Amino acid sequence: MRVQLGLKGSTDDSQYRDRLQYHPDVFEFFTQEDDFTTDGLQKLRYAIQVVQNEATSKIVLHQPMRYQKTIFTELIAPESCCPGLYKFVEQSTIDLLQVAYDFDVQVLIHGAYLRQTPKYIAMYPSFDAAQDAAFKRMDRFNEMGGNHIMFENSISPIFYYGDPQFEDRILAHGYRLAFDTSHCFIAEHGNNDKLVASIKHLMDATVHYHLVDSMGEHHDSLVLGTGKIDWRRVLPLLNENSKATSIYEINLADPTDAKEQMESHRYLVELAKTLTD
């Protein structure tokens, strides 16, 4: 059973060159607000070319999590109340898609976050109206991005995985999905049965996985094997979905050293041996 090596880093050359020494099968750039200046976009384009030339063509561009350092890039933030944030989400998506089309890579957009979401939900007449706004914006981005865009699950009830009925609603939109294992696990309160069922239900639409462990209580981004996710059940499903890419999205003690990502990879490689023996 083969295990992909998927690594993540920023456009800082000390980060992506550290990852390149391991010759990853997949690389995900975690972009930040300063990547969207004229110079920043040139730096991103250069970094993509380096990774493509030295390691892999399978590259994902993760839209920034934050605007002005502290504000999460929530899709439901209304333009009328949050014009700066709305414009940044809009323009960064357009910029990333232009790069994605030019280099034949992928763009990842979060359907929602969690910490600040209640503030934005309160700007709508109801929760349903806020959720409908998220789907409406994703529909538009999906039309713009085609086979170059995907949407990731949150822990937030605005856009999450784990409930089959809500997953059916997501599938009806025809999105290409990114599946974060810890987000689903936490949203379903550490329930491995629901995590496995969700992976199976969404498999045909899932094109990318964020592999990360968790205790199932809050966003903790643990090294694989140190949390409560049952990887013995999850790993075969990842291999069954052979068309999908994956990366390890683990908190790093040192952003210039992929130590924890590589620890996670070694854990899955050893686990794979026990599943095939």
Side-chain angles (χ1 to χ4, degrees):
M1 183 183 296
R2 186 176 184 278
V3 179
Q4 290 184 63
L5 174 56
L7 300 177
K8 185 173 184 178
S10 74
T11 58
D12 187 316
D13 61 0
S14 66
Q15 290 195 30
Y16 67 77
R17 290 194 181 278
D18 167 72
R19 296 1 171 211
L20 288 177
Q21 69 177 305
Y22 302 108
H23 307 289
D25 300 302
V26 185
F27 189 85
E28 184 172 315
F29 281 102
F30 185 75
T31 65
Q32 303 171 68
E33 186 174 0
D34 59 8
D35 289 315
F36 295 89
T37 63
T38 299
D39 289 345
L41 285 167
Q42 288 181 344
K43 184 179 179 181
L44 172 60
R45 287 172 172 270
Y46 175 77
I48 291 170
Q49 291 177 78
V50 172
V51 173
Q52 286 182 329
N53 290 336
E54 298 187 17
T56 181
S57 61
K58 295 178 180 179
I59 293 174
V60 177
L61 310 177
H62 190 301
Q63 187 179 46
M65 285 180 59
R66 292 179 176 85
Y67 166 68
Q68 294 182 346
K69 297 184 178 180
T70 60
I71 303 171
F72 282 82
T73 50
E74 286 282 2
L75 296 190
I76 63 170
E79 183 177 16
S80 58
C81 302
C82 315
L85 173 57
Y86 185 93
K87 182 179 179 181
F88 177 71
V89 171
E90 198 77 10
Q91 191 59 53
S92 61
T93 301
I94 291 169
D95 289 342
L96 286 175
L97 285 174
Q98 183 61 63
V99 173
Y101 278 106
D102 289 346
F103 291 97
D104 193 20
V105 298
Q106 299 289 314
V107 172
L108 185 154
I109 306 290
H110 260 260
Y113 285 95
L114 178 66
R115 296 177 208 174
Q116 299 168 359
T117 314
K119 176 179 75 173
Y120 297 108
I121 293 173
M123 297 176 183
Y124 290 86
S126 66
F127 173 84
D128 287 347
Q131 193 170 62
D132 287 346
F135 276 107
K136 185 176 180 180
R137 205 167 189 193
M138 284 187 287
D139 284 345
R140 188 161 54 79
F141 288 159
N142 191 50
E143 185 175 354
M144 290 166 55
N147 288 329
H148 290 281
I149 198 166
M150 64 184 76
F151 300 96
E152 181 184 340
N153 57 315
S154 172
I155 303 168
S156 164
I158 288 289
F159 191 77
Y160 70 104
Y161 304 156
D163 177 76
Q165 289 186 319
F166 187 63
E167 289 174 355
D168 283 340
R169 181 181 178 187
I170 293 171
L171 291 171
H173 285 259
Y175 301 149
R176 301 167 75 248
L177 301 178
F179 195 117
D180 186 298
T181 55
S182 72
H183 292 170
C184 179
F185 192 62
I186 296 164
E188 295 304 326
H189 310 290
N191 188 316
N192 273 293
D193 290 337
K194 289 188 176 182
L195 170 63
V196 167
S198 182
I199 293 172
K200 290 178 178 178
H201 189 202
L202 298 175
M203 185 179 295
D204 288 346
T206 301
V207 296
H208 187 58
Y209 293 98
H210 279 175
L211 306 182
V212 50
D213 216 334
S214 173
M215 300 303 289
E217 299 173 2
H218 56 83
H219 199 279
D220 39 7
S221 299
L222 302 179
V223 171
L224 272 61
T226 65
K228 293 184 176 180
I229 289 180
D230 188 347
W231 295 102
R232 183 170 289 274
R233 296 173 67 187
V234 169
L235 180 56
L237 298 176
L238 304 180
N239 280 271
E240 185 178 335
N241 189 1
S242 58
K243 72 179 187 299
T245 54
S246 64
I247 61 107
Y248 301 105
E249 191 176 52
I250 315 298
N251 283 340
L252 302 179
D254 177 358
T256 66
D257 185 349
K259 175 177 176 287
E260 292 84 356
Q261 293 178 31
M262 293 305 300
E263 287 176 0
S264 294
H265 183 63
R266 285 190 286 271
Y267 171 80
L268 277 196
V269 169
E270 290 304 311
L271 177 60
K273 292 177 182 176
T274 70
L275 295 175
T276 54
D277 288 344

